[in-house]
Amino acid sequence: MKTRDLFDESYSALTVNKVRSSLTMLGIIIGIGSVIALISIGQGAAGSIQANIQSIGSNLIIVTPGAPRGAGAAVSTGRGSAETLTMDDELYLQSNLTDAKAVEPELSKRYQVTAKGTNTNTQVVGTSSNYTTVRNVNIDGGSFITDQQVTNLAKVAVLGPTTRDDLFGVGADAVGQTIRINSVVFNVIGVTASKGGSGFFNQDDIIFIPISVAQHYLVGPNADGKDYVTTIGISAQSPDVMTTVQQETTDDLLSLHQIGNPAQADFQVQNQADIVSAASSVTGTFTILLASIAGISLVVGGIGIMNMMLTTVTERTREIGLRKAIGATRQDINLQFLMEAIMLTFLGGLIGVVAGWLASIAATHFAGIPSKITSSSVLLAFGVSAAIGVVFGYYPAQKASKLNPIEALRFE
């Protein structure tokens, strides 16, 4: 049988009962559509998270505190909430790191902030003037915190655009206004430019104040009576020296904290590439998990294809017997039914890709969920749909090809 005859016969067989063929394809359409939509949303989310992480700074190295590990302990306890980093550490690093462009301390905590009858719960970050260099922050109006204001314990605040909108209205001129943080009055001296993001990664929902004010009026010293910090940010001179700066930072802090074994360090040093890699790993795992769940519907769709093909073989038993009687080989019969199954799944896959593409666009447009469709996901969907046609069409095709022509012609 020629290839064109094979396609023509398969097309005719499937279009005889269009409703049944369409319903059979429905499982494949839903399965492929779900896989495409979920992979695109997963990849869109991964891209958005990576962009947000990249925007928090350039050539950034972050030092966070952690409780010391006990002898023989496998896991540090209290990391992230400990108070083992102090201003002395920040000043030491600022003086000793030769390849660092800038070093900035941070002391952050969430507070209920009020202004003119409105209030919001937001992140308050005590920091220094180096924050704009280390974290790539631009000012949209007014000015950022200066070193003199840090030294003089000036009660001034710089708002993120989201916080400005929540407290004073969208786009309002907040410079010169006053806000209250934990009953302490601050004068607003500036508003930062928007950096984007949402939820946990919203870098616009934030207030900056001098770190000396945060330590003196809001947080207080740690158990040892020292001014502690929650993060130290370091901007390396270039991407080429990031590893060197990271190692120098680790060595300096180990020496300053008098810790001989790096495994017992009471701090953690990460560079931006580590954070991006960790975030990509997490989002990649979730994308695979979601796609796998959607893939279950593909298996159900494949079972539907097999059921429909077995029914078709039974209905067309006499036709198969007649074809064999006039010279059709087992391979011809096998190829014909296999082609019908593949055509069903391939067409279902094509419609499913379009449905998944429309679903991802709808998710972005109506729900604001980022999505990204790549050629690899589309090719994967087509490959999977064709493979399902081969796998689930193989048994019915084999059953048809093995029919005895005489018994098939006698079939009622």
Side-chain angles (χ1 to χ4, degrees), residues 69-369:
R69 302 178 181 185
V75 180
S76 171
T77 56
R79 189 174 294 282
S81 61
E83 300 170 354
T84 54
L85 287 180
T86 66
M87 284 298 292
D88 293 339
D89 297 324
E90 188 268 338
L91 293 172
Y92 187 81
L93 293 175
Q94 201 169 62
S95 303
N96 287 275
L97 294 178
T98 53
D99 292 320
K101 186 191 300 181
V103 180
E104 56 87 14
E106 291 179 40
L107 179 57
S108 60
K109 193 174 181 180
R110 294 195 75 86
Y111 287 96
Q112 197 71 23
V113 182
T114 61
K116 283 189 177 180
T118 61
N119 69 89
T120 183
N121 188 285
T122 188
Q123 192 80 5
V124 177
V125 177
T127 188
S128 67
S129 61
N130 281 342
Y131 191 92
T132 53
T133 302
V134 176
R135 299 303 186 114
N136 285 344
V137 171
N138 295 314
I139 295 297
D140 186 46
S143 61
F144 198 72
I145 297 163
T146 65
D147 291 335
Q148 187 176 7
Q149 288 166 336
V150 174
T151 304
N152 294 339
L153 290 174
K155 298 189 188 71
V156 295
V158 179
L159 309 184
T162 300
T163 308
R164 183 269 317 273
D165 295 345
D166 291 342
L167 292 175
F168 299 105
V170 178
D173 183 11
V175 177
Q177 304 285 344
T178 59
I179 60 173
R180 285 180 178 271
I181 307 173
N182 206 23
S183 300
V184 180
V185 178
F186 288 81
N187 292 317
V188 178
I189 60 170
V191 177
T192 62
S194 176
K195 295 186 76 173
S198 60
F200 182 77
F201 292 102
N202 191 347
Q203 301 175 76
D204 298 334
D205 188 12
I206 197 167
I207 295 176
F208 302 102
I209 63 174
I211 188 165
S212 55
V213 175
Q215 290 166 336
H216 187 79
Y217 291 101
L218 300 181
V219 180
N222 62 11
D224 297 329
K226 294 183 178 179
D227 291 329
Y228 72 97
V229 297
T230 51
T231 308
I232 296 175
I234 303 165
S235 177
Q237 293 283 2
S238 70
D240 298 334
V241 298
M242 284 188 71
T243 305
T244 304
V245 173
Q246 185 178 6
Q247 188 59 51
E248 285 181 358
T249 302
T250 302
D251 295 340
D252 285 349
L253 289 178
L254 285 173
S255 173
L256 195 61
H257 291 197
Q258 298 181 339
I259 298 173
N261 185 358
Q264 295 183 349
D266 58 356
F267 58 88
Q268 186 177 29
V269 183
Q270 291 181 296
N271 67 43
Q272 213 165 7
D274 294 335
I275 300 171
V276 171
S277 176
S280 300
S281 176
V282 171
T283 53
T285 302
F286 273 105
T287 301
I288 293 172
L289 177 64
L290 292 173
S292 300
I293 293 172
I296 294 173
S297 60
L298 279 175
V299 177
V300 175
I303 294 172
I305 295 282
M306 180 184 283
N307 185 45
M308 182 263 195
M309 293 304 299
L310 286 172
T311 304
T312 301
V313 170
T314 303
E315 290 176 348
R316 294 162 61 187
T317 299
R318 286 177 63 83
E319 175 193 327
I320 295 168
L322 183 60
R323 286 177 182 272
K324 283 195 167 185
I326 60 176
T329 64
R330 284 183 59 181
Q331 185 180 11
D332 292 335
I333 302 297
N334 192 8
L335 281 176
Q336 181 185 344
F337 281 90
L338 202 54
M339 179 59 70
E340 291 178 18
I342 293 174
M343 284 184 71
L344 274 175
T345 55
F346 194 79
L347 186 58
L350 181 63
I351 299 173
V353 168
V354 175
W357 176 63
L358 292 175
S360 62
I361 290 176
T364 302
H365 183 74
F366 295 108
I369 301 172

